[in-house]
């Protein structure tokens, strides 16, 4: 049976393949821009310089001040720098942090953003972004934040260490899993999500074993693109809510938190999301979806327990209280006891029950 659905495709131009970063000047020209401001974190200054070098006469300058959680002050500062340098477009080079700053500027100006992602987070495919102001995080949803062009060059991800590649890829898989059972799930997004999980299931073990494996990098980046589309179109549910609560309230790192929580959020939702779990099984060639995801995490050497990524055990009750407050849409009813048990399993890193 095909249930009624609404599908919204987001209008980004995607240029994918090893070496295609070299097409950056042509892509900037295609946007009708002449002076691009290159944006990165301080850690990726080298990659930003590479991009500015490729742009040659079309580079207005480099702004390497992107930081986690996208404080609004950094958005205002970047915009001021862009005005001083007379920039007419922004090129973000990096993961969700660099893209977040680009999205912030896009909200405040009419100038286009071109993203060159170097992680698997998928933010470049969504119209959503969290910002912090005065210590308070607010999430904005606005189509102006979508990068107009995205260049995916797997060669740029070779430098992402296995300790980050694995969790970053699991962050992508989490987007796809929740899109499969999210409020806006539909046949098109589900196809995309399943293929994204399949590609990451091939790519992640390769890149975590051998970071320079270009075939693995290509699969992983292709999968992360698809999972980013799924996130942008399918929506978020219990898993993302838990990650936002646990990560935000206890200061845990973004990608490792997604990695640890995912199999447990899936186990919780499995009884109410059979079709979604069947797709995950098919994508990973497995019989039990939460277990297959848990085993993939183990196989790539990523963390499986909240206790190993900085979560205090005496914070679990507070996390459960916060998680049941203003819950996101979820296929299965959310109960305080159910969430507390889920968090206990995630804290200790237990393999989900068969
Ligand atoms: P990140 O962008 O914070 O990158 C982590 C670190 O790795 C940074 O220092 C970065 O410079 C470095 N790095 C990135 N790519 C590298 C590479 N190829 N080689 C070497 N170093 C590299 O990490 P992330 O996981 O991509 O992004 C996390 C942030 O993105 C979070 O704040 C999260 O909330 C946000 N996010 C937003 C969305 C959305 O749709 N708005 C989606 C996913 C994530």
């Amino acid at each position: 049976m095909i249930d009624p659905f609404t599908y919204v495709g987001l209008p980004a131009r995607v240029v994918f393949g090893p070496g295609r970063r070299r097409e950056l000047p042509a892509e900037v020209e295609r946007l009708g821009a002449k002076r691009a401001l290159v944006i990165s974190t301080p850690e990726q200054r080298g990659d930003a310089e590479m991009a500015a070098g490729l742009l040659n006469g079309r580079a207005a300058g480099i702004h390497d001040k992107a930081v986690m959680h996208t404080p609004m002050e950094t958005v205002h500062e970047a915009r001021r720098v862009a005005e001083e340098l007379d920039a007419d477009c922004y090129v973000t080079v990096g993961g969700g942090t660099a893209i977040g700053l680009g999205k912030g500027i896009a909200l405040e100006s009419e100038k286009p953003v071109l993203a060159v992602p170097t992680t698997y987070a998928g933010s470049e495919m969504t119209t959503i972004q969290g910002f912090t102001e005065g210590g308070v995080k607010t999430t904005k949803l606005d189509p102006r934040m979508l990068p107009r062009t995205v260049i995916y060059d797997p060669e740029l991800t070779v430098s992402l260490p296995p300790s980050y590649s694995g969790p970053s890829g699991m962050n992508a898989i989490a987007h796809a899993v929740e899109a499969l059972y999210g409020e806006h799930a539909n046949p098109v997004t589900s196809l995309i999500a399943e293929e994204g999980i399949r590609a990451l299931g091939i790519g992640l073990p390769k890149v975590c074993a051998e970071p320079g494996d270009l075939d693995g990098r290509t699969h992983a980046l292709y999968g992360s693109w698809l999972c980013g589309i799924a996130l942008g179109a399918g929506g978020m549910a219990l898993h993302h809510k838990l990650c936002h609560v646990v990560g935000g309230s206890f200061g845990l790192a973004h990608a490792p938190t997604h990695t640890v929580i995912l199999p447990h959020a899936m186990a919780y939702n499995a009884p109410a999301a059979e079709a979604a779990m069947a797709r995950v099984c098919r994508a990973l060639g497995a019989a039990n979806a939460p277990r297959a995801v848990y085993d993939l995490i183990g196989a790539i050497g990523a963390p499986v327990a909240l206790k190993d990524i900085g979560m205090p055990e005496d914070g679990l009750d507070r996390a459960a209280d916060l998680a049941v407050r203003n819950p996101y849409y979820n296929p299965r009813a959310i109960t305080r006891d159910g969430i507390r048990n889920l968090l206990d399993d995630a804290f200790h890193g237990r393999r989900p029950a068969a």
Side-chain angles (χ1 to χ4, degrees):
M1 194 178 86
I2 298 174
D3 292 328
F5 63 88
T6 302
Y7 172 73
V8 181
L10 297 175
R13 173 177 163 86
V14 170
V15 175
F16 185 98
R20 296 203 71 184
R21 64 186 176 282
R22 294 185 195 96
E23 294 169 43
L24 182 57
E27 291 299 329
V28 165
E29 186 178 2
R30 205 169 190 282
L31 291 171
K34 293 191 168 58
R35 292 181 59 77
L37 180 64
V38 181
I39 289 171
S40 73
T41 63
E43 298 80 32
Q44 278 183 281
R45 171 93 197 178
D47 283 337
E49 283 172 358
M50 173 278 300
L54 287 172
L55 283 164
N56 199 2
R58 282 186 193 272
I62 295 173
H63 185 66
D64 64 353
K65 303 280 190 294
V67 293
M68 259 181 23
H69 308 308
T70 323
M72 279 313 289
E73 309 88 78
T74 64
V75 174
H76 301 320
E77 188 200 350
R79 203 175 154 204
R80 190 180 46 73
V81 169
E83 273 165 19
E84 273 170 22
L85 293 172
D86 196 21
D88 58 5
C89 108
Y90 306 95
V91 171
T92 67
V93 183
T97 296
I99 295 164
L101 183 52
K103 284 176 157 180
I105 311 170
L107 251 191
E108 298 197 351
S109 79
E110 298 301 310
K111 293 165 188 151
V113 175
L114 185 157
V116 185
T118 62
T119 71
Y120 307 132
S123 174
E124 67 282 357
M125 284 292 136
T126 78
T127 55
I128 192 165
Q129 179 63 31
F131 297 96
T132 47
E133 193 154 30
V136 180
K137 185 163 180 170
T138 50
T139 302
K140 292 187 180 163
L141 186 75
D142 194 307
R144 286 176 297 169
M145 293 197 289
L146 189 74
R148 292 259 294 276
T149 304
V150 181
I151 300 179
Y152 288 105
D153 185 339
E155 288 173 3
L156 294 178
T157 60
V158 165
S159 53
L160 194 67
S163 60
Y164 203 84
S165 297
S168 185
M170 294 312 303
N171 182 201
I173 289 180
H175 300 329
V177 167
E178 293 248 288
L180 287 170
Y181 58 60
E183 191 174 10
H184 307 295
N186 62 73
V188 180
T189 308
S190 295
L191 279 176
I192 292 172
E194 183 179 331
E195 172 68 356
I197 297 170
R198 189 195 66 80
L200 280 154
I202 295 170
L204 289 183
K206 289 185 170 198
V207 307
C208 290
E210 174 45 59
D213 183 327
L214 196 57
D215 179 60
R217 289 291 180 187
T218 303
H219 272 89
L221 196 60
Y222 166 66
S224 75
W225 165 46
L226 298 178
C227 293
I229 300 175
L231 173 69
M236 299 182 253
L238 173 66
H239 166 80
H240 281 80
K241 172 74 182 183
L242 285 172
C243 292
H244 293 161
V245 163
V246 171
S249 306
F250 300 92
L252 308 190
H254 178 81
T257 307
H258 275 267
T259 305
V260 171
I261 298 276
L262 182 60
H264 304 287
M266 289 173 70
Y268 184 90
N269 278 335
E274 281 179 26
M277 296 301 147
R279 279 196 183 264
V280 177
C281 285
R282 201 159 60 198
L284 295 178
N288 177 295
R291 284 192 152 201
V293 167
Y294 181 91
D295 292 346
L296 175 61
I297 296 167
I300 60 175
V304 292
L306 284 177
K307 65 179 162 61
D308 296 337
I309 61 166
M311 178 74 192
E313 190 162 14
D314 62 9
L316 294 177
D317 278 315
R318 188 157 76 88
D321 291 340
L322 291 169
V324 296
R325 215 179 282 166
N326 307 321
Y328 297 177
Y329 164 88
N330 197 56
R332 184 176 170 197
I334 289 172
T335 65
R336 165 76 173 60
D337 282 355
I339 298 305
R340 182 64 181 80
N341 289 339
L342 182 168
L343 288 171
D344 202 65
D345 287 342
F347 182 80
H348 292 286
R350 297 186 188 109
R351 190 172 186 236

